[in-house]
Structures are given as C-alpha cells and as structure tokens.
Amino acid sequence: MQEQVEVPDMRSPQIPALEMQNEMQNVSIQFENACGSIIGRNHVLASKNNQDALRIVLWDNFVTAVVCDGCGSGKHSEVGAKLGARMVTDAIADLLNQGLAISEPDFWNVLKINLLQKMTGFIAIANEEPESVMEFVNNYLLFTIVGLVITPSETITFSMGDGAIAVNGKLTQIPAYPDNAPPYLAYGLYRSDAIEFEIRDRLPTAEVESILIATDGIDDLIAVEEVNQFWQEDRYFKNPDAIRRKLTMLNREEVKPDWQKRELIKRSGALSDDTTLVVIRKKR
C-alpha cells in the first residue's frame, strides 16, 4: 500500500517579508519525496499479499513518513501494516498540531500511549476471551515501524522493529532481533513498558540533505544495487512510479538459454521479501 497525503496551504495572504519567513518555515516545499513497494518473491510463491505499507504526510510545518512491515507468520499481517502506517502518521500529526515538539521526551511516550489506545479499539471487534484477542492480535496487528519527522528546526528518524535508515548518505541497517521477534507495537497491549520508540538520528533540519527509510526487505536490494541511486538520481522524483518499477525489474524472473550446455538457465528475482522504501531529499 502506498499513500501520500498533502494538506493544502491554508495561510492567509501575508506581506512579502512574512511570506519569506513562512517559506523558510514551510518544510513541505523545501523537500521532495519518492516511494515504492513490491511484493517479495517468497510471498508470491506462497500466494501471500504484500505485507508492507507506507504513508507520507505533508503539512506546511512538518513532514512525516513511515514504512511498516507486517509479521510474516501472521495470517493477515498486511492489515496491521496498512492500519499502522495511517495510525502512526496521523498520531504524529495530531501531536505536532497540538504544539508538542519532537524534541520533548514526552512526545514519544505520548505517541506510544495514543497508538495503544487506538489499537484497543481495533481489538474490540474480537471476542472477549483472552485467547481470541491474542489470536486476533497475532494474525492482524503485528507490524514493525520505521519513520521520520521533519520540522522547521529539527529532524528525527525512529523505529520500532527492524528495517533500514539512511541519513545524508549514511546507511544503517537495523539488524533482526533475537529469534526474529521484533518489539511489535501490539506487544504494548499486554505490557506497555515492553516497547519503546528508538530514536535513530537527531539533527538540525538545515543539515538534512536526504533521508531513506525502508523495511527489512531492503537487505536483498543492498546486495545487488547501490541504494544511493534512490536519493541521488532525479528520475525517481520526477516519476512517482519509478521506484516501484525499479524494484519490479529487479524481482523479474528470467529464463535464458545456455547454448553450450543446451539448457535453459532460470534466474529468480533478487528480492525475496516484500521491499518498501520512502526517500526524502532537499529540493535542488
């Protein structure tokens, strides 16, 4: 699932000096974005859906984006990923619009509490038996989160679970957790102190040139491609479908003849897992 939301500029007419000041504060016009998501080879073979999701939200005074990866063992984890991408970006937008700054320690704790409250509303549709609730959570509501928030003064990247982040060209792959069990947000429904958002990068927005956030499917991509192309090459920002097309091409199955051996050589797609990424860069 790919979704991008842009909120129209609702400012009243201002005198030129104030307009210039507003433009300096309007981060959404300072940056451009690109994104893409494809289903992994293993999920195609298993007749599963793409369990990744992404969402980008653009306001005058901030930009936020997340990618979510549904738990592979969940029967319908794509549901949680899609809900999660919307929940997290909306909850961040609500807090920022209420005046709570991302630099305040309370921001991330309040965000977690608000998200857990929303999740309790989802599980209300399950039966009241604890076993039924747990089954519902495990099948529908387990997903990882990797995200970013850009405000006029400060930029933060964050995560809850594995994936990858690149800030100004420096790539960090968040390793898989022990027993391949990330701290899914829904685990906080059982014990709220069991999960916390991890702040990965914190820097002045004036220093931001580019940011990439991705689900853990990017691990296969890194093995076959230079990922810096996604924030360096203009084509990805000019064509909104360019990243998806690139990922699709890499995951295309090919069959070529080997004339010497007189046999057909089959090459599988390079991306075994669902792969989703969002790229933000300063406009040139």
Side-chain angles (χ1 to χ4, degrees):
M1 171 188 174
Q2 301 182 31
E3 184 174 3
Q4 178 171 315
V5 178
E6 183 167 1
V7 179
D9 187 349
M10 301 300 290
R11 295 173 296 173
S12 300
Q14 304 288 327
I15 61 176
L18 289 178
E19 285 182 347
M20 183 175 297
Q21 183 178 1
N22 283 337
E23 286 187 4
M24 292 176 64
Q25 294 294 309
N26 188 335
V27 294
S28 66
I29 65 173
Q30 296 177 40
F31 294 89
E32 56 188 345
N33 65 81
C35 60
S37 179
I38 67 158
I39 185 171
R41 182 182 71 249
N42 290 347
H43 281 185
V44 172
L45 295 175
S47 299
K48 288 187 175 182
N49 295 324
N50 185 343
Q51 294 179 331
D52 284 359
L54 68 86
R55 193 169 189 241
I56 305 168
V57 174
L58 311 173
W59 280 70
D60 282 356
N61 57 329
F62 66 85
V63 173
T64 184
V66 300
V67 294
C68 295
D69 179 6
C71 174
S73 61
K75 292 181 179 179
H76 308 287
S77 291
E78 66 274 11
V79 175
K82 290 176 172 61
L83 290 172
R86 176 174 287 274
M87 275 198 313
V88 176
T89 49
D90 282 352
I92 288 173
D94 288 344
L95 292 180
L96 289 173
N97 285 325
Q98 291 168 21
L100 192 60
I102 57 175
S103 57
E104 297 180 35
D106 282 349
F107 183 95
W108 301 96
N109 188 50
V110 172
L111 176 63
K112 181 185 75 170
I113 292 170
N114 289 355
L115 290 171
L116 291 175
Q117 288 175 343
K118 290 184 179 183
M119 292 193 88
T120 57
F122 295 139
I123 65 175
I125 65 176
N127 294 327
E128 294 182 359
E129 294 296 326
E131 295 81 3
S132 299
V133 170
M134 185 172 293
E135 181 181 11
F136 178 80
V137 170
N138 290 342
N139 282 334
Y140 289 91
L141 297 181
L142 300 184
F143 54 88
T144 62
I145 304 165
V146 181
L148 63 87
V149 186
I150 303 175
T151 68
S153 60
E154 187 174 23
T155 293
I156 282 179
T157 65
F158 61 92
S159 66
M160 188 178 288
D162 49 8
I165 299 170
V167 176
N168 292 344
K170 182 181 178 181
L171 177 66
T172 300
Q173 293 173 259
I174 304 169
Y177 287 76
D179 301 320
N180 199 26
Y184 296 117
L185 175 66
Y187 290 169
L189 295 169
Y190 310 119
R191 208 184 93 191
S192 63
D193 62 351
I195 50 120
E196 298 291 344
F197 282 104
E198 295 188 56
I199 304 304
R200 296 290 177 176
D201 302 276
R202 186 190 296 269
L203 69 162
T205 295
E207 297 178 7
V208 175
E209 295 298 328
S210 65
I211 302 177
L212 174 146
I213 56 174
T215 58
D216 63 352
I218 199 175
D219 293 348
D220 288 336
L221 177 62
I222 292 170
V224 296
E225 287 281 323
E226 294 289 339
V227 294
N228 57 10
Q229 65 183 288
F230 294 110
W231 59 80
Q232 289 181 347
E233 297 184 17
D234 294 341
R235 61 190 173 113
Y236 293 117
F237 298 90
K238 291 179 178 178
N239 183 344
D241 198 37
I243 290 182
R244 186 199 64 81
R245 289 182 180 180
K246 176 66 174 182
L247 299 177
T248 300
M249 182 187 70
L250 291 171
N251 229 24
R252 188 171 54 197
E253 186 177 275
E254 293 183 349
V255 179
K256 294 183 178 180
D258 185 324
W259 299 111
Q260 289 185 338
K261 295 182 179 180
R262 295 189 176 184
E263 62 183 18
L264 295 176
I265 305 299
K266 182 178 179 181
R267 185 187 71 83
S268 299
L271 308 178
S272 61
D273 195 7
D274 303 336
T275 305
T276 300
L277 57 97
V278 170
V279 188
I280 306 278
R281 77 173 185 182
K282 190 165 288 182
K283 287 183 179 178
R284 299 177 177 179

